[in-house]
Amino acid sequence: MAVYRVCVTTGPYLMAGTLDNISVTLVGTCGESPLLVAYTRVSGGQGASEIQCPPDLGELLLLRLHKERYAFFSKDSWYCSRICVTAPDGTVSHFPCYQWIEGYCTTELRPGTAKTICQDTLPLLLDHRKHELQARQECYRWKIYSPGFPRMVDVSSFEEMESDKKYALTKMIDTEWEKKAGKSLGMKLRGLLDRKRSWKKLDDIRNIFWCHKTFTSEYVTEHWCEDHFFGYQYLNGVNPVMLHCLSSLPSKLPVTNDMMAPLLGPDTCLQTELERRNIFLADYWILADAPVHCLNGRQQYVAAPLCLLWLNPQGSLMPLAIQLSQTPGPESPIFLPTDCDWDWLLAKTWVRNAEFLVHENNTHFLCTHLLCEAFAMATLRQLPLCHPIYKLLLPHTRYTLQVNTIARATLLNPEGLVDKVTSIGRQGLLYLMSTGLAHFTYTNFCLPDSLRARGVLAIPNYHYRDDGLKIWGAIESFVLEIIGYYYPSDMSVQQDSELQAWVGEIFAQAFLGRENSGFPSRLCTSGELVKFLTAIIFNCSAQHAAVNSGQHDFGAWMPNAPSSMRKPPPQTKGTTTLKSYLDTLPEVNTTCNNLLLFWLVSQEPKDQRPLGTYPDEHFTEEAPRQSIAAFQSRLAQISRDIRERNQSLALPYAYLDPPLIENSVSI
């Protein structure tokens, strides 16, 4: 008799155990074992048993995991982490599972050794790949949310989500929404959510979220109206992707040398600074045709500003000129730092409102949440669990489908928070995202290419760029090692039909088959694959952290990130007063609702998995495990460098510190 030792591990989650009977069938190259009990009434931790089989089964190909009723107990959910099988000759086979198994069913698992479809030749294993993907494609279906949007998962509520991912998330989300409800109640009792009027004075805004101050939020409150800090936020705020270096001024911004002379000083001029590549533009063209919305029964307003900035000799980025429309003319004056203080402050506040709208809708939700959802969907639908790219990407898709489904049901739905706090409402959101996707390119998606194209590689004190490039490099090195191990040649990339189906589905469903986007619809070399995977992992982790984690820090002081504007952009200079400024900012209740949103989306998940942390051991071979360890070592060094630098900064930049970066879009 051949004796196999089977060790079953239950996950470390609340209620992860089961009262059902667990049994296994082993399938090898020389035969199949009978149905044998492996572990009964799992309650957590590990359980082991020995299975006797008449013949030696040969190389193990599959493990069938059976979950069946025990006595009178009702069916339940069980989280199986992995199963280890020790063969008679001492060979150990690891079968990763890492999923919730509900009810009474049979789940087939393959050994942890990753294999592309080209490496499988046995009909049994090829059929297993095919049937696994068919089942996934039935479970995960694409849906059109709105024309021009990336496609998304076809569910209408969180409760419809597949249980293996929703169970742990339920606890996390419940906790966060309980906190939100508590804060909402607190402000309700203070009457703030019922006040549909202007703030009486700016200092009154300090009283909101007084118990949730951070060092950065306090710094913003003190420095928000300074030109130096206004420019700083283009580099290290929550939307550090807007600046483009200019070699000449666009015709739609007719700034003259006379306007600039008092600002640049006697030793230089505008043309000289353009030639030195010290002039930058933030262009909010996308807002020019955005629909507007009503809040508290009152029409709101939107501007599409052009903001010109100068990198001065001291290395600070300073605003030079602001035009609040895309069309120059007498009714669209160019505001300057030499104008009266209230005019200049109002012009900068209009830019900050434009920043809020572009950041929240496009930089944040479209380019991280929605695109990462499409990557997760394609990975689940086109790559079987044994595929090396599935194993590589799965940690970076964790909870993304679920958190986006919750967002659509609570924030983006009609009369949701977006409709309650923004000047463009839900219809404007749909417009901005569809327009943004139509102009989004592969260059925008790849950090080194984007920085180069925008001409911002030489700006000093651009911590987002510096930290981001280090993390990009660490991810790239990691991915390069993994791909080099599983794809020995460009031909092996080209011949992987599952991989090609995966990238083709991303091109069709995420980028709607738009050829001029530059995104690949097919991958022909290992280099192309490495770049694409590096970009996906970076945007699912580091980029999301950079544009998400600081929202409360930079937005808690509302005038720095107003979600709406109640008066039209000024058409003449010299008319702004404190009262007209306050009457332009959002009302009290709109401010409170928006701060609730900022605070909620800036919370860390309760079961955080930082970048490079892989507690689910999907890779079982030694080579990828060594690559993971090397990746973690690189990230640890980056973290040490960031923390050492931050000690000398007046305002530390920690959003790309690796331990603070979540592996996936999960909040």
Side-chain angles (χ1 to χ4, degrees), residues 39-100:
Y39 195 24
T40 307
R41 295 183 296 285
V42 178
S43 58
Q46 292 186 343
S49 63
E50 292 185 347
I51 299 175
Q52 293 186 345
C53 303
D56 186 337
L57 299 176
E59 180 188 353
L60 293 183
L61 303 176
L62 290 174
L63 182 149
R64 296 193 179 108
L65 186 61
H66 311 282
K67 185 168 177 284
E68 299 170 313
R69 188 187 190 98
Y70 172 74
F72 57 85
F73 295 106
S74 60
K75 62 183 178 181
D76 58 12
S77 299
W78 170 46
Y79 189 91
C80 176
S81 290
R82 62 187 179 275
I83 300 173
C84 295
V85 179
T86 304
D89 63 359
T91 302
V92 178
S93 297
H94 299 273
F95 292 83
C97 184
Y98 301 105
Q99 60 183 295
W100 290 92

Side-chain angles (χ1 to χ4, degrees), residues 76-298:
D76 58 12
S77 299
W78 170 46
Y79 189 91
C80 176
S81 290
R82 62 187 179 275
I83 300 173
C84 295
V85 179
T86 304
D89 63 359
T91 302
V92 178
S93 297
H94 299 273
F95 292 83
C97 184
Y98 301 105
Q99 60 183 295
W100 290 92
I101 301 175
E102 291 203 69
Y104 312 128
C105 61
T106 296
T107 302
E108 286 192 342
L109 303 175
R110 288 188 55 161
T113 302
K115 289 187 176 181
T116 66
I117 192 170
C118 303
Q119 296 166 323
D120 271 342
T121 56
L122 295 175
L124 173 69
L125 297 181
L126 291 171
D127 284 345
H128 180 265
R129 300 179 84 105
K130 177 181 177 182
H131 294 144
E132 180 186 348
L133 292 181
Q134 286 176 342
R136 294 249 206 89
Q137 289 166 10
E138 291 175 4
C139 179
Y140 296 98
R141 302 174 305 276
W142 292 105
K143 177 175 74 173
I144 298 175
Y145 182 74
S146 179
F149 263 51
R151 306 297 184 245
M152 54 196 61
V153 63
D154 186 13
V155 295
S156 56
S157 68
F158 177 66
E159 289 71 26
E160 295 178 33
M161 300 300 294
E162 186 188 17
S163 65
D164 68 320
K165 296 192 181 65
K166 86 175 182 184
Y167 196 81
L169 182 65
T170 301
K171 297 190 287 295
M172 179 184 74
I173 293 296
D174 283 349
T175 300
E176 297 307 327
W177 283 102
E178 285 171 4
K179 290 179 181 178
K180 172 183 178 293
K183 296 303 165 187
S184 176
L185 177 61
M187 285 201 280
K188 187 78 171 179
L189 292 174
R190 293 162 62 188
L192 296 178
L193 289 175
D194 294 325
R195 297 184 186 177
K196 301 179 181 180
R197 59 167 176 76
S198 300
W199 292 93
K200 291 183 178 179
K201 55 184 183 294
L202 285 172
D203 275 351
D204 289 345
I205 303 172
R206 294 176 184 264
N207 298 326
I208 304 180
F209 282 120
W210 59 270
C211 59
H212 292 287
K213 295 177 181 179
T214 67
F215 180 85
T216 302
S217 70
E218 288 296 281
Y219 188 96
V220 172
T221 303
E222 295 300 321
H223 299 277
W224 69 283
C225 59
E226 299 171 7
D227 286 0
H228 175 275
F229 184 66
F230 179 88
Y232 168 90
Q233 292 185 81
Y234 278 106
L235 302 178
N236 304 308
V238 293
N239 192 31
V241 298
M242 289 297 295
L243 283 184
H244 287 77
C245 185
L246 297 181
S247 57
S248 61
L249 290 179
S251 59
K252 61 183 179 180
L253 183 61
V255 171
T256 66
N257 283 316
D258 289 343
M259 291 179 184
M260 297 295 101
L263 305 171
L264 299 178
D267 298 328
T268 188
C269 66
L270 182 58
Q271 184 57 40
T272 298
E273 294 304 304
L274 285 167
E275 292 171 358
R276 291 174 176 170
R277 310 288 285 176
N278 286 334
I279 301 297
F280 300 85
L281 180 68
D283 187 349
Y284 301 89
W285 62 269
I286 197 171
L287 292 169
D289 296 316
V292 289
H293 185 54
C294 288
L295 294 176
N296 295 324
R298 179 174 177 174

Side-chain angles (χ1 to χ4, degrees), residues 6-10 18-24 36-49 51 65-68 78:
V6 178
C7 181
V8 180
T9 303
T10 295
T18 181
L19 295 173
D20 293 335
N21 281 338
I22 305 299
S23 57
V24 301
L36 297 169
V37 173
Y39 195 24
T40 307
R41 295 183 296 285
V42 178
S43 58
Q46 292 186 343
S49 63
I51 299 175
L65 186 61
H66 311 282
K67 185 168 177 284
E68 299 170 313
W78 170 46

Side-chain angles (χ1 to χ4, degrees), residues 167 381 413 558 622 656:
Y167 196 81
R381 286 171 49 84
N413 59 314
M558 179 271 288
E622 185 59 26
L656 289 178

